[in-house]
């Protein structure tokens, strides 16, 4: 993505962008632009937020976005291949998976565009996870179970990275806007598997996807005690994060 | 002081110690904030609350004619979330207590779960904010027909989508990483609710993450600032919500 074009786009909504670039701190610049441009030029804003200093390989924000891009590559290819597999997805569920595919494709495009030359390449995937799910593209139950694992992992992965994006308001907000879409997907796919839309304790498969989800206290507040609800119920009300390392351990078997 | 109804305000000041969530508004900043309100009674009553300790007993008698000041900084954002959770929890408590005709067993189970989650969120914020918490709000639902499935599910969808957008927009306004992490744990549960309610309205469609709420080009959910969300929430809250001291960037 060409920086000049991006600046030109932003100039359409923020006529003072060049002044801001010269005279204000980077954080201030991004915040100011975000207020005006977030809804109309999200990819452009995000790309700008990553220009020069941020786009250097090894910066925290770039690392987080490349981590996110890798997960989005995984999800996007999974749904594209699932939808292309004849006889896999029953007719009544094609719309819902096509909607999810559309979003994952959009997330890949958004992140790739923002990262520009700093974007990691798409890995080759093995959706059988080295033979663990041999029927992933021939049996709908298997496909749907793997979809749930990917979506719930995606929710937890973005959540775990939010704090690493606090230095950049524009990128943080966009990450949150992806995070909640993954949660919508997860809830819908869970229903296909006769599960509740929300995560109950650490129920679910594979176990690593749900590790730690049973937490019933938030910030040391004993919410079960306050409400008279069970700890299992409280665990539903708060989704828990995963670390990058936990997510990579889940995703690695799917990388050929 | 400006508020959404332009009422003359008698703000309830939430400044006090937080027993659980340390926050960045120290006494000096608080005094600055209190001074900016140019209402001497605010400062006096807050000092009194401080002296009385964290039980907040001094702030009794909050009536429907008194405005509620959400406050500033992270505490203000957490109070803003607490107000939205009060709204949602009260709504689902009434839905479950007065089930609409024809509520299926599955719908009842889902609505009871969501009620429990929203009550958990509400009670969490109340406890975490301690004496800095805004009071319990006087809430009603004008125009909502609790005997109508359509009315209830449409209202639920509105609240859940609004909650998602509110948390998404508030994340960047928080300065304490721990508060951001907590908001993240809640917003995805709100998004799950939104998807399931939408599924009840339009089964086996794209509506759970429909183009009306997730931009099809970018794949992004909505993010709304408090200044956009508060007026929508205000419709259901009898007190005037004063959001003008919340951070804007």
């Amino acid at each position: 993505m060409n920086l000049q074009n991006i600046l030109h786009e932003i100039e359409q909504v923020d006529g003072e962008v060049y002044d801001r670039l010269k005279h204000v701190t980077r954080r201030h610049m991004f915040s100011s632009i975000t207020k005006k441009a977030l809804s109309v030029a999200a990819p452009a804003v995000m790309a700008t937020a990553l220009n020069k200093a941020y786009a250097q390989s090894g910066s925290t924000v770039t690392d987080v976005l490349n981590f996110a891009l890798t997960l989005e590559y995984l999800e996007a290819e999974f749904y594209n291949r699932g939808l292309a597999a004849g006889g896999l997805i029953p007719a009544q569920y094609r719309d819902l998976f096509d909607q999810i595919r559309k979003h994952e494709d959009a997330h890949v495009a958004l992140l790739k565009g923002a990262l520009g030359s700093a974007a990691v390449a798409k890995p080759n995937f093995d959706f059988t996870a080295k033979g663990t799910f041999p029927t992933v593209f021939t049996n709908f139950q298997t496909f749907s179970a793997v979809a749930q694992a990917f979506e719930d992992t995606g929710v937890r992965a973005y959540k775990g990275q939010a704090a690493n994006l606090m230095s950049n308001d524009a990128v943080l907000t966009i990450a949150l806007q992806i995070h909640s879409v993954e949660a919508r997907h997860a809830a819908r796919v869970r229903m296909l598997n006769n599960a509740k839309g929300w995560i109950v304790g650490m129920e679910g498969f594979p176990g690593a996807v749900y590790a730690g989800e049973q937490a019933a206290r938030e910030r040391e507040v004993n919410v079960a005690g306050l409400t008279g609800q069970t700890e299992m119920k409280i665990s539903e009300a708060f989704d828990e994060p995963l670390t990058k390392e936990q997510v990579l351990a889940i995703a690695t078997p799917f990388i050929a | 002081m400006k508020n959404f109804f332009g009422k003359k305000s008698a703000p309830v000041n939430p400044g006090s110690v937080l027993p659980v969530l340390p926050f960045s508004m120290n006494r000096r900043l608080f005094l600055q904030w209190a001074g900016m309100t140019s209402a001497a009674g605010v400062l006096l009553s807050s000092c009194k609350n401080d002296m009385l300790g964290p039980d907040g007993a001094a702030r009794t008698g909050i009536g429907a004619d008194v405005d509620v000041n959400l406050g500033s900084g992270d505490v203000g954002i957490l109070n803003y979330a607490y107000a939205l959770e009060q709204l949602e929890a009260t709504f689902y408590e009434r839905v479950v207590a007065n089930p609409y005709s024809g509520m299926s067993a599955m719908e009842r189970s889902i609505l009871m779960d969501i009620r429990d989650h929203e009550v958990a969120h509400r009670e969490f914020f109340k406890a975490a904010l301690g004496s800095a918490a805004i009071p319990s709000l006087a809430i009603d639902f004008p125009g909502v027909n609790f005997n109508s499935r359509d009315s209830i599910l449409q209202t639920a969808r509105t609240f859940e989508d609004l909650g998602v957008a509110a948390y998404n927009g508030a994340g960047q306004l928080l300065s304490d990483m721990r508060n951001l992490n907590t908001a993240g744990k809640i917003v995805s549960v709100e998004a799950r609710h939104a998807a399931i309610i939408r599924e009840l309205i339009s089964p086996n469609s794209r509506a759970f993450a429909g183009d009306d709420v997730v931009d099809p080009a970018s794949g992004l959910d909505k993010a709304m600032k408090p200044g956009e969300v508060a007026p929508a929430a205000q419709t259901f809250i009898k007190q005037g919500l004063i959001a003008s001291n919340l951070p804007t960037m």
Side-chain angles (χ1 to χ4, degrees):
Chain A
M1 188 172 281
N2 181 302
L3 184 61
Q4 280 309 118
N5 290 341
I6 294 159
L7 290 172
H8 180 71
E9 279 189 65
I10 290 181
E11 198 181 9
Q12 307 300 306
V13 291
D14 183 347
E16 296 168 350
V17 62
Y18 289 103
D19 289 337
R20 293 177 197 283
L21 276 168
K22 284 180 207 154
H23 299 302
V24 301
T25 66
R26 177 167 281 108
R27 181 184 165 90
H28 181 216
M29 179 185 89
F30 297 142
S31 299
S32 304
I33 292 171
T34 307
K35 302 300 176 291
K36 294 173 183 168
L38 198 54
S39 60
V40 293
V45 170
M46 195 156 163
T48 304
L50 283 163
N51 73 8
K52 299 204 170 178
Y54 280 104
Q56 288 166 2
S57 174
S59 89
T60 302
V61 172
T62 302
D63 285 352
V64 170
L65 293 178
N66 267 323
F67 169 63
L69 175 58
T70 302
L71 295 178
E72 298 291 353
Y73 279 139
L74 175 80
E75 291 183 311
E77 184 164 319
F78 175 73
Y79 293 113
N80 277 294
R81 286 178 61 175
L83 284 158
L88 173 65
I89 299 176
Q92 69 267 35
Y93 301 137
R94 287 194 69 84
D95 273 357
L96 86 86
F97 280 108
D98 188 59
Q99 188 75 353
I100 296 176
R101 176 204 56 78
K102 182 171 75 180
H103 295 155
E104 309 301 6
D105 282 348
H107 296 162
V108 167
L110 182 69
L111 293 167
K112 272 181 79 173
L115 283 157
S117 61
V120 293
K122 183 164 74 70
N124 291 317
F125 294 113
D126 169 14
F127 291 103
T128 73
K130 314 279 193 287
T132 306
F133 306 108
T135 59
V136 63
F137 291 128
T138 53
N139 179 297
F140 183 63
Q141 284 187 318
T142 307
F143 175 80
S144 182
V146 173
Q148 176 183 326
F150 285 167
E151 296 296 343
D152 277 333
T153 299
V155 174
R156 302 190 68 186
Y158 275 97
K159 199 187 316 294
Q161 295 305 311
N164 290 330
L165 299 175
M166 287 188 83
S167 64
N168 192 311
D169 286 348
V171 175
L172 171 62
T173 300
I174 288 168
L176 290 172
Q177 290 174 281
I178 297 176
H179 169 245
S180 59
V181 172
E182 303 293 343
R184 289 177 188 267
H185 295 170
R188 179 64 190 94
V189 172
R190 292 175 63 88
M191 285 185 82
L192 290 178
N193 300 330
N194 294 316
K196 290 183 174 185
W198 22 93
I199 299 172
V200 182
M202 51 192 300
E203 291 172 10
F205 177 80
V209 173
Y210 299 97
E213 276 288 358
Q214 75 279 13
R217 286 187 179 232
E218 176 60 19
R219 306 284 287 278
E220 306 304 321
V221 175
N222 179 359
V223 190
L226 288 173
T227 59
Q229 296 178 21
T230 63
E231 294 202 340
M232 190 72 99
K233 184 64 69 179
I234 301 301
S235 78
E236 298 175 12
F238 296 89
D239 276 346
E240 302 296 323
L242 285 174
T243 65
K244 187 176 181 180
E245 291 68 32
Q246 288 176 301
V247 172
L248 291 176
I250 293 165
T252 298
F254 294 95
I255 299 190
Chain B
M1 183 176 290
K2 184 182 169 189
N3 73 57
F4 289 108
F5 284 155
K7 284 188 206 164
K8 188 177 177 184
S9 66
V12 174
N13 170 29
S16 186
V17 293
L18 274 180
V20 175
L21 306 179
F23 70 103
S24 58
M25 191 168 84
N26 60 28
R27 177 164 292 271
R28 183 180 60 81
L29 288 171
F30 165 68
L31 290 171
Q32 281 176 0
W33 174 84
M36 284 165 61
T37 66
S38 69
V42 176
L43 182 56
L44 290 173
S45 69
S46 342
C47 291
K48 194 173 161 191
N49 281 358
D50 272 359
M51 287 187 290
L52 287 175
D55 64 271
R59 290 198 309 275
T60 53
I62 302 302
D65 56 340
V66 178
D67 289 346
V68 173
N69 197 326
L70 298 171
S72 61
D74 277 21
V75 164
I77 296 297
L78 297 179
N79 265 323
Y80 163 65
Y82 177 40
L84 295 176
E85 298 292 353
Q86 287 192 45
L87 185 55
E88 289 186 307
T90 303
F91 173 72
Y92 290 106
E93 283 173 333
R94 293 192 193 172
V95 168
V96 171
N98 311 284
Y100 52 77
S101 56
M103 184 184 287
S104 71
M106 183 185 76
E107 288 170 357
R108 180 170 170 77
S109 169
I110 286 169
L111 292 165
M112 286 178 70
D113 275 358
I114 297 178
R115 175 201 60 186
D116 289 347
H117 302 162
E118 306 297 8
V119 166
H121 296 162
R122 179 184 69 193
E123 297 307 313
F124 164 76
F125 279 116
K126 183 179 181 182
L129 282 156
S131 65
I134 58 169
S136 292
L137 299 170
I139 290 167
D140 67 5
F141 300 96
V144 176
N145 179 357
F146 280 81
N147 198 37
S148 158
R149 181 180 185 273
D150 282 354
S151 179
I152 291 308
L153 295 182
Q154 299 289 345
T155 305
R157 183 191 65 182
T158 300
F159 283 154
E160 298 297 345
D161 285 340
L162 185 68
V164 171
Y167 278 102
N168 282 348
Q172 71 172 83
L173 304 178
L174 290 165
S175 57
D176 186 322
M177 181 186 297
R178 293 167 298 182
N179 293 333
L180 176 63
N181 284 337
T182 294
K185 293 181 184 196
I186 294 174
V187 62
S188 54
V189 174
E190 304 292 349
R192 292 173 188 272
H193 295 167
I196 299 303
I197 294 290
R198 285 167 160 268
E199 180 66 19
L200 292 180
I201 295 170
S202 307
N204 290 338
S205 72
R206 299 169 185 263
F208 67 98
D211 291 356
D212 60 317
V213 72
V214 178
D215 175 54
S218 64
L220 297 180
D221 221 319
K222 292 188 176 177
M224 290 168 71
K225 286 291 169 56
E228 301 170 87
V229 174
Q234 183 69 76
T235 309
F236 306 98
I237 298 170
K238 291 180 181 173
Q239 294 99 329
L241 286 182
I242 300 171
S244 52
N245 297 304
L246 295 181
T248 56
M249 63 179 289

